[in-house]
């Protein structure tokens, strides 16, 4: 076999063309781009999923998502016995209260700021067969008017209860009932109370609350969000 001689200038320089390295370089570039794409996609997905949960927490007054216990739901349903008219759950979370009310025959609506929870609630309502009477909307509770509802359920936090108390007092009819879970309203006197500890539920009939009066007359300053 004829021997191929290396050119003189290449022998003198000691340089050999790295032809065998070219496929490896291409492979490294490919995997580098792939890894960058995977990591970037994961970060975008994480941001999209986490943002609806984190953003409300940055507000000065917000409703954290804490799922209702089965006992809390039972106590709420107890406070709705013999009641009629549409129902709203303020900060409806994963839709448990709204779905339970729909099963009791109410036309129930939930307002929730977190879109992931709203979509999941709609799926649960469809799975439970009450999608016709259980509706969920993405909305800030401070931007919704509740005058059309006869029954209001709220799983609140102490910081928001005074402002919400004034908002509901302005908007609800005398025949409306407000059901508070976990924390009572600061100035209203409940007509009915059931449960204990974190499962305590307070029911306030608006006509009775207005008749009792006695709430300090304070300037109605909006909660800073």
């Amino acid at each position: 076999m004829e021997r191929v001689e290396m050119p003189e200038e290449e022998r003198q320089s000691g340089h050999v063309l790295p032809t065998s390295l070219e496929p490896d370089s291409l492979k490294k570039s490919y995997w580098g781009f792939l890894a960058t794409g995977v990591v970037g996609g994961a970060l975008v997905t994480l941001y999209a999923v986490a943002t609806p949960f984190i953003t409300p927490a940055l507000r000065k007054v917000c409703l954290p998502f804490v799922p209702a216990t089965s006992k809390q739901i039972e106590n709420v349903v107890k406070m709705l016995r013999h009641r009629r008219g549409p129902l709203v759950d303020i900060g409806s979370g994963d839709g448990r209260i709204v779905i339970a009310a729909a099963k009791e025959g109410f036309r129930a609506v939930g307002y929730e700021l977190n879109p992931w929870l709203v979509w999941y609630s709609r799926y649960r309502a469809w799975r439970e067969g009450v999608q016709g009477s259980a509706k969920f909307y993405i909305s800030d509770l401070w931007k919704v008017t509740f005058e059309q509802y006869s029954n209001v359920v709220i799983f609140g936090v102490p910081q928001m209860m005074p402002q919400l108390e004034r908002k509901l007092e302005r908007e609800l009819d005398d025949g409306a009932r407000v059901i508070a879970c976990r924390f009572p309203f600061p100035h209203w006197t409940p007509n009915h109370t059931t449960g204990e500890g974190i499962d305590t539920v307070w029911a306030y009939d608006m006509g009775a609350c207005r008749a009792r009066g006695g709430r300090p007359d304070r300037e109605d300053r909006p909660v800073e969000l």
Side-chain angles (χ1 to χ4, degrees), residues 16 19 35 41 62 164 179 186 191 212:
V16 179
T19 55
C62 67
L164 183 59
I179 300 173
N191 295 86
R212 294 189 190 101

Side-chain angles (χ1 to χ4, degrees), residues 200-216:
T200 302
V201 170
W202 299 266
Y204 305 86
D205 293 333
M206 289 306 304
C209 288
R210 289 193 177 100
R212 294 189 190 101
R215 190 167 62 82

Side-chain angles (χ1 to χ4, degrees), residues 79-93:
M79 292 298 187
L80 292 172
R81 286 176 184 167
H82 310 300
R83 297 284 304 171
R84 294 292 184 271
L87 175 145
V88 60
D89 183 9
I90 302 176
S92 53

Side-chain angles (χ1 to χ4, degrees), residues 10 18 30 35 37 55 58 81 83 98 107 129 144 163 166 200 213-214:
E10 291 187 11
Y30 170 78
T55 301
L58 299 178
R81 286 176 184 167
R83 297 284 304 171
V98 173
R107 181 168 58 85
V144 177
Q163 172 68 7
R166 294 192 289 271
T200 302

Side-chain angles (χ1 to χ4, degrees), residues 67-82 87 96-101 103-104 106 153 155 177 179-182 192-196 198-203:
T69 66
S70 57
K71 190 62 178 178
Q72 287 169 340
I73 297 174
E74 178 184 326
N75 290 338
V76 169
V77 170
K78 184 185 300 184
M79 292 298 187
L80 292 172
R81 286 176 184 167
H82 310 300
L87 175 145
R96 300 182 188 199
I97 294 294
V98 173
I99 292 172
K103 289 181 176 180
E104 294 294 321
F106 288 90
V153 181
F155 281 71
R177 170 169 288 185
I179 300 173
C181 307
R182 295 198 181 101
H192 309 280
T193 303
T194 188
E196 57 184 20
I198 63 170
D199 295 325
T200 302
V201 170
W202 299 266

Side-chain angles (χ1 to χ4, degrees), residues 9-223:
E9 58 272 19
E10 291 187 11
R11 288 201 305 268
Q12 291 177 354
S13 63
H15 176 72
V16 179
L17 293 177
T19 55
S20 61
L21 297 180
E22 290 180 358
D24 291 341
S25 298
L26 291 175
K27 289 181 180 179
K28 290 180 180 179
S29 298
Y30 170 78
W31 289 112
F33 282 122
L34 181 62
T36 301
V38 170
V39 172
L43 290 175
V44 170
T45 302
L46 179 62
Y47 175 82
V49 172
T51 296
F53 290 91
I54 296 174
T55 301
L58 299 178
R59 297 167 177 249
K60 290 190 176 181
V61 177
C62 67
L63 284 177
F65 171 53
V66 180
T69 66
S70 57
K71 190 62 178 178
Q72 287 169 340
I73 297 174
E74 178 184 326
N75 290 338
V76 169
V77 170
K78 184 185 300 184
M79 292 298 187
L80 292 172
R81 286 176 184 167
H82 310 300
R83 297 284 304 171
R84 294 292 184 271
L87 175 145
V88 60
D89 183 9
I90 302 176
S92 53
D94 62 0
R96 300 182 188 199
I97 294 294
V98 173
I99 292 172
K103 289 181 176 180
E104 294 294 321
F106 288 90
R107 181 168 58 85
V109 171
Y111 289 100
E112 170 60 47
L113 196 57
N114 188 322
W116 295 103
L117 292 175
V118 170
W119 295 330
Y120 178 64
S121 298
R122 291 170 180 170
Y123 164 73
R124 290 191 63 185
W126 170 80
R127 189 179 64 184
E128 297 290 334
V130 293
Q131 67 273 20
S133 54
K135 303 296 182 181
F136 300 91
Y137 301 99
I138 303 170
S139 183
D140 188 327
L141 70 90
W142 304 109
K143 299 177 181 179
V144 177
T145 299
F146 300 108
E147 59 186 6
Q148 70 268 37
Y149 297 105
S150 301
N151 304 279
V152 178
V153 181
I154 173 68
F155 281 71
V157 293
Q159 300 94 317
M160 69 176 289
M161 299 306 271
Q163 172 68 7
L164 183 59
E165 185 181 70
R166 294 192 289 271
K167 175 177 172 63
L168 295 176
E169 195 168 87
R170 288 195 307 269
E171 297 177 357
L172 297 179
D173 291 335
D174 284 349
R177 170 169 288 185
V178 181
I179 300 173
C181 307
R182 295 198 181 101
F183 297 100
F185 285 95
H187 302 110
W188 292 345
T189 300
N191 295 86
H192 309 280
T193 303
T194 188
E196 57 184 20
I198 63 170
D199 295 325
T200 302
V201 170
W202 299 266
Y204 305 86
D205 293 333
M206 289 306 304
C209 288
R210 289 193 177 100
R212 294 189 190 101
R215 190 167 62 82
D217 185 14
R218 298 176 298 174
E219 182 181 357
D220 188 15
R221 297 176 181 175
V223 173

